[in-house]
């Protein structure tokens, strides 16, 4: 039996702390199992939470611990989407590439065997969308096979600079499933000068041509722009231009330049400031695709099982939010 004095002390001390805070009280003599049963029942009746009994003391939380993932939009919960870096080499050397990709970058490909397993385990883990990125995926000779593995499992988005839709690469594109695949093509300005200053001479014209080819081939096309943070509010001309290309407003993605990878400037994005997007590369599982070439965002080097990696990202995110909530608790001064 639990000494009634223990209950009285818990009551007195818990009344002086804010909701969500904990108190720890010496338990005194008695059996652990009996104390657990009695205190669990008392907490259930009073709307509090038994955190645990350890080293002769009981810890109780005032009220119930909030769900740290509550309030996160369903579409942004970690593990809703799975990003995969198919490769890191690229036909361009953009001066703000977060993945440090270029023609000289090592390929570091995931490969079809790992992508096949990831796609299958993604379905089992409740993932609703797969996203393939690079590097430039169209440099891969088996890209149509990689995409087929993914679209057979889940709706898939493929990020590309849109510049390589010709010859055998165009034939690979034509073999992809138009009903399950969205192409996301990068375009950073309404004019060639600005876009080309970051991505290379002639890249704007070829990207626009790529958008039109993809549309003519019957694919859904999303256009994504990377702009300096100071310019992200000056969007009306950009949206009007994308409208003129026939890009649906929901498929017009504007993002601020991040200070990652090759970028010398941009907004600072850290694990603490980002809602995670589970991202897999040949090196492991990362917090977010924006930092998939940076060790500070590496979650685990173990890619499989995928469910374990997703659970670890969710656990860390929940702990991070819980710490932030605890840090902002009201402190009773009177």
């Amino acid at each position: 039996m639990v000494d009634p004095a223990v209950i009285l002390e818990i009551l007195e001390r818990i009344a002086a702390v804010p909701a969500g805070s904990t108190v720890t009280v010496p338990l005194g003599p008695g059996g652990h199992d009996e104390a657990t049963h009695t205190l669990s029942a008392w907490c259930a009746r009073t709307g509090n939470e038994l955190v645990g009994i350890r080293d002769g003391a009981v810890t109780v939380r005032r009220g119930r611990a909030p769900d740290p993932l509550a309030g996160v939009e369903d579409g942004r919960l970690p593990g809703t989407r799975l990003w995969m870096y198919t490769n890191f080499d690229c036909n361009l050397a953009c001066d703000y590439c977060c993945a440090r990709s270029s023609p000289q970058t090592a390929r570091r490909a995931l490969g079809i065997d790992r992508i096949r397993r990831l796609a299958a385990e993604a379905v089992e883990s409740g993932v609703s969308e797969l996203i393939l990125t690079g590097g430039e995926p169209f440099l891969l000779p088996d890209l149509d096979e990689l995409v087929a593995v993914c679209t057979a499992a889940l709706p898939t988005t493929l990020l590309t600079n849109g510049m390589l839709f010709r010859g055998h690469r165009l034939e690979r594109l034509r073999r992809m499933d138009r009903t399950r695949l969205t192409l996301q093509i990068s375009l950073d300005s309404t004019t060639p000068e600005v876009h080309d200053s970051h991505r290379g001479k002639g890249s704007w014209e070829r990207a626009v041509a790529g958008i039109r080819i993809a549309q003519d081939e019957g694919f859904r096309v999303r256009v994504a722009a990377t702009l300096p943070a100071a310019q992200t509010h000056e969007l009306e001309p950009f949206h009007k231009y994308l409208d003129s290309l026939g890009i649906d407003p929901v498929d017009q993605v504007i993002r601020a330049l991040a200070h990652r990878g090759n970028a010398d400037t941009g907004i600072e994005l850290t694990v603490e400031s980002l809602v995670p997007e589970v991202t897999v590369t040949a090196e492991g599982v990362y917090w977010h695709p924006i930092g998939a070439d940076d060790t500070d965002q590496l979650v685990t080097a173990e890619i499989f099982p995928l469910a374990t990696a997703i659970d670890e990202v969710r656990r860390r995110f929940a702990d991070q939010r819980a710490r932030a909530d605890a840090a902002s608790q009201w402190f009773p001064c009177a």
Side-chain angles (χ1 to χ4, degrees):
M1 180 176 179
V2 177
D3 187 340
V6 172
I7 302 289
L8 290 173
E9 185 173 356
I10 293 173
L11 276 170
E12 180 180 348
R13 293 183 58 187
I14 212 167
V17 299
S21 295
T22 61
V23 298
T24 300
V25 174
L27 190 57
H32 181 281
D33 291 341
E34 184 181 359
T36 300
H37 176 76
T38 301
L39 290 167
S40 293
W42 178 83
C43 286
R45 287 195 305 272
T46 58
N48 297 302
E49 180 184 359
L50 176 62
V51 176
I53 297 175
R54 183 178 179 181
D55 298 330
V58 55
T59 299
V60 174
R61 176 179 285 107
R62 181 173 179 176
R64 301 287 181 183
D67 179 359
L69 298 183
V72 180
E73 298 175 21
D74 288 343
R76 298 193 70 193
L77 283 171
T80 301
R81 307 193 300 182
L82 177 67
W83 290 72
M84 292 181 274
Y85 269 79
T86 60
N87 61 305
F88 280 84
D89 54 323
C90 188
N91 56 310
L92 296 179
C94 303
D95 63 8
Y96 49 60
C97 179
C98 65
R100 302 179 177 88
S101 293
S102 76
Q104 288 75 45
T105 302
R107 175 152 290 180
R108 294 157 56 197
L110 264 174
I112 193 165
D113 291 338
R114 282 187 288 197
I115 287 179
R116 181 180 289 110
R117 181 175 174 184
L118 283 166
E121 293 191 14
V123 174
E124 297 170 359
S125 300
V127 173
S128 61
E129 180 185 5
L130 302 176
I131 303 177
L132 302 175
T133 188
E136 174 47 56
F138 274 88
L139 291 177
L140 297 172
D142 59 348
L143 181 62
D144 53 333
E145 298 175 53
L146 300 181
V147 170
V149 163
C150 293
T151 54
L154 289 166
T156 302
T157 296
L158 175 61
L159 276 62
T160 174
N161 56 44
M163 295 175 58
L164 300 178
F165 300 159
R166 59 186 183 276
H168 59 275
R169 294 188 175 105
L170 178 57
E171 292 306 312
R172 289 192 193 108
L173 174 66
R174 288 172 171 163
R175 288 194 287 269
M176 297 177 188
D177 186 347
R178 291 154 179 78
T179 67
R180 302 270 282 181
L181 180 68
T182 297
L183 294 172
Q184 179 169 308
I185 298 177
S186 303
L187 190 71
D188 295 337
S189 176
T190 60
T191 60
E193 292 77 18
V194 175
H195 179 99
D196 289 2
S197 68
H198 297 291
R199 294 180 178 267
K201 186 176 181 179
S203 59
W204 184 91
E205 183 177 355
R206 292 174 65 184
V208 172
I211 291 170
R212 291 179 171 135
I213 290 171
Q215 290 172 321
D216 290 344
E217 292 294 333
F219 288 94
R220 176 184 175 182
V221 177
R222 181 180 298 135
V223 173
T226 300
L227 303 177
Q231 296 178 19
T232 54
H233 65 286
E234 302 170 358
L235 302 180
E236 186 175 354
F238 196 83
H239 285 302
K240 284 184 176 179
Y241 180 71
L242 295 184
D243 290 341
S244 75
L245 290 178
I247 305 300
D248 192 287
V250 299
D251 289 327
Q252 300 177 15
V253 181
I254 309 295
R255 58 198 174 200
L257 174 65
H259 188 195
R260 284 275 168 176
N262 290 337
D264 294 327
T265 62
I267 60 174
E268 299 295 339
L269 295 175
T270 65
V271 168
E272 291 74 23
S273 66
L274 285 165
V275 176
E277 294 261 12
V278 180
T279 301
V280 180
T281 79
E283 283 73 42
V285 180
Y286 287 77
W287 190 259
H288 196 279
I290 199 73
D293 196 41
D294 294 312
T295 56
D296 67 307
Q297 299 223 0
L298 177 65
V299 176
T300 173
E302 299 297 325
I303 298 173
F304 301 108
L306 178 63
T308 300
I310 291 174
D311 286 345
E312 177 62 13
V313 173
R314 286 177 174 166
R315 184 194 67 77
R316 293 191 189 187
F317 184 51
D319 288 350
Q320 176 181 304
R321 286 173 63 92
R323 287 194 301 271
D325 289 344
S328 64
Q329 286 284 356
W330 167 74
F331 184 83
C333 294

